[in-house]
Amino acid sequence: AHVPADVKPRLHFHNVAVVPGDPETDLLLHIARVARPEDFVALKIDIDNFKVEHALVRELRTNARGTNVSMLVDEFFFEYHFKVRTERPVRPYRSIMPFWRVQSTRGNSVDDALALMRELRQAGI
């Protein structure tokens, strides 16, 4: 896709391993440092590590670390992984990437996903 020249200086990708709370790699701390309320901030979290993703989303929802990033994020994109009960076994991508299925589900349900989305909406995201 083409990125207009006037947008390029304001477009940032955080392409490093994220460790929540680490001032060098935590993308929420980075946003809190560089974004201003008048900026348009679109945040996509797709780390494929359940613990890291949910720590970041929890911070957006609760502001437990005092980052106030939820006040800066205008649009948020996040793939919530959850278990689905079916009549027959579902094995997506098992032969290609078996670690995703084990790491990403951890007992979360559709109800948990909907509750989280509702809480994020209530937080203004």
Side-chain angles (χ1 to χ4, degrees):
H2 174 72
V3 177
D6 64 321
V7 173
K8 282 184 182 180
R10 298 185 311 260
L11 183 63
H12 302 280
F13 292 95
H14 193 80
N15 194 20
V16 297
V18 174
V19 178
D22 177 2
E24 297 297 318
T25 65
D26 186 320
L27 82 130
L28 298 184
L29 294 177
H30 176 73
I31 291 170
R33 277 192 307 269
V34 302
R36 299 172 310 223
E38 62 270 17
D39 292 336
F40 178 82
V41 177
L43 173 61
K44 177 184 178 191
I45 296 177
D46 187 8
I47 300 170
D48 293 324
N49 180 305
F50 179 86
K51 288 182 181 181
V52 173
E53 286 180 342
H54 282 270
L56 296 171
V57 173
R58 189 172 33 258
E59 172 63 19
L60 278 176
R61 189 186 78 224
T62 65
N63 193 37
R65 293 186 287 149
T67 61
N68 293 317
V69 171
S70 64
M71 297 171 62
L72 298 169
V73 174
D74 298 289
E75 291 190 14
F76 177 55
F77 303 89
F78 172 60
E79 181 182 13
Y80 191 99
H81 301 277
F82 54 85
K83 287 185 178 179
V84 177
R85 291 183 184 191
T86 62
E87 297 275 330
R88 56 194 176 119
V90 177
R91 296 181 182 194
Y93 313 111
R94 194 168 192 67
S95 62
I96 301 170
M97 292 178 245
F99 69 92
W100 278 16
R101 183 163 172 81
V102 173
Q103 185 180 31
S104 63
T105 55
R106 297 275 198 258
N108 293 297
S109 69
V110 173
D111 291 338
D112 295 328
L114 293 172
L116 174 62
M117 296 304 149
R118 186 172 37 257
E119 291 168 8
L120 289 168
R121 285 282 186 198
Q122 290 169 347
I125 300 174

